[in-house]
Amino acid sequence: MIRSVVRGFGAALPKRVMTNKEMETKVDTSDEWIVQRTGIHQRYIAGEGETTASLGESAARAALARADLTPDDLDLIIVATSTPDNTFPATAVNIQNRLGMRHGAAFDMQAVCSGFVYAVATADAYIRGGLAKRALVIGAETFSRILDWSDRTTCVLFGDGAGAIILEAQEGSGTNADRGVLTAQLRSDGIHGDKLYVDGGPSTTGTVGHLRMEGREVFKHAVGMITDVIEAAFKATGTTADDVDWLVPHQANRRIIDGSAKKLGIPLDKVVVTVDVHGNTSAASIPLALDTAAADGRIKKGDLVMLEAMGGGFTWGSVLIRW
Ligand code: UT7
């Protein structure tokens, strides 16, 4: 049985850090409120010349270097983003060009904060279906550019960044002992579209628009949706919370992360948390957290790693990977 095995990982952040103290000079907020309600202490904000494609390219180069591969070794690029450099061509094609890659296929995937989970699930399906041998999967965002900087209920929450992994087709036995993606569980429900959205687009306003969110409404659904897809992953693989070495959640809010882990019976020392330093980077948050915990030696080869996300759409999903 073909498995999609992680060969490399990488990440990139903008140069500029914006602390909660600096945020206090922009809107009527406080470090205390932001930390208490979200766990966020700082976020990175893209500056001139830093875009979703440039950050994605840097993350991709880091992942390629770690995997000891070159762009010639890839045949698929999927970029999860809701903040593309241009409406088209896709940011994935832009990154393909920046990498000097003239073969294979590249496209973007738009599932907002669940984008990376959707992109990994898609790359895994391509690989297991024989359509690709090595896929570069990137989550890259510059949410700072779609924020309403006068709206304190949203602008304090988000940040910019990118992360990437390389998935490679390898022969497995078909058991949970295999390295690679063991299952992916994806869900969406458009009835919640107006709870987290951007109020513009090419076909409506002809503008990019700004992010709008009913935070409390999103919060209300988050823990239930997250635990739903994680339990579905356990059921699909016959695993339990005790088998999980690392939970790597979408980094939206420390309270949602802690609440989900508690409900699932996963101890907090097995949860990777980076929301304190990255803020909510939407589709980039999981690969940024993966890079942090794999680079510092917490996530090791053979570990069972659960990814989960929930966001605009609503979309939500989980991926269980043996690292
Ligand atoms: O990544 C996609 C998924 N997104 C999420 O998961 C976000 C989910 N939602 C959340 O994380 C939380 O709902 C928030 C962090 C957005 C807000 O936390 P909350 O505990 O739900 O606060 P709230 O919206 O109930 O607001 C409480 C109070 C309000 O004042 P009143 O009405 O009680 O007087 C707000 O106006 O806090 C006020 N407030 C602020 N105060 C200082 C809202 N934003 C701020 C702010 N600084 N930045």
Side-chain angles (χ1 to χ4, degrees), residues 12-16 18 42-47 50-52 55 83 139-147 149 157-163 277-282 284-285 288:
L13 290 161
K15 284 185 204 73
R16 177 159 182 253
M18 190 186 283
Q42 61 163 56
R43 72 287 294 141
Y44 291 80
I45 302 293
E50 290 177 319
T51 68
T52 296
L55 294 166
T83 46
E141 303 279 16
T142 46
F143 260 51
S144 66
R145 303 216 162 110
I146 56 163
L147 294 175
W149 283 95
L157 305 174
F158 295 91
D160 303 332
V277 286
H278 296 155
N280 181 348
T281 58
S282 194
S285 90
L288 275 167

Side-chain angles (χ1 to χ4, degrees), residues 223-244:
V223 173
M225 288 177 164
I226 289 162
T227 49
D228 156 48
V229 282
I230 292 181
E231 274 160 5
F234 287 149
K235 196 167 168 213
T237 52
T239 53
T240 69
D242 291 340
D243 299 315
V244 172

Side-chain angles (χ1 to χ4, degrees), residues 6 116-117 120 165 176 178-184 230 233-234 237 239-249 266 270-272 286-287 289-291 293-294 298-308 318-323:
V6 178
F116 189 74
V117 163
V120 170
I165 62 170
N176 287 340
D178 289 345
R179 288 187 65 212
V181 175
L182 301 180
T183 189
I230 292 181
F234 287 149
T237 52
T239 53
T240 69
D242 291 340
D243 299 315
V244 172
D245 294 298
W246 295 104
L247 175 64
V248 184
I266 298 176
K270 289 184 171 186
V271 183
V272 178
I286 291 176
L290 278 174
D291 178 81
R298 271 179 288 172
I299 298 179
K300 295 182 197 64
K301 209 173 184 176
D303 280 356
L304 198 59
V305 181
M306 180 72 81
L307 316 182
E308 61 81 355
S318 67
V319 172
L320 188 63
I321 303 181
R322 183 153 320 269
W323 198 257

Side-chain angles (χ1 to χ4, degrees), residues 28-30 33-34 37-38 113 152-153 156-158 196 213 215-216 218-219 222 250 252-253 255-256 280 310-312:
D28 179 17
T29 190
S30 66
W33 188 95
I34 301 171
R37 301 283 173 143
T38 71
C113 297
R152 69 173 183 175
T153 68
V156 303
L157 305 174
F158 295 91
L196 174 49
M213 178 165 75
R216 225 175 296 183
V218 180
F219 199 106
H250 168 49
N253 184 316
R255 284 151 63 208
I256 296 174
N280 181 348
M310 178 267 180

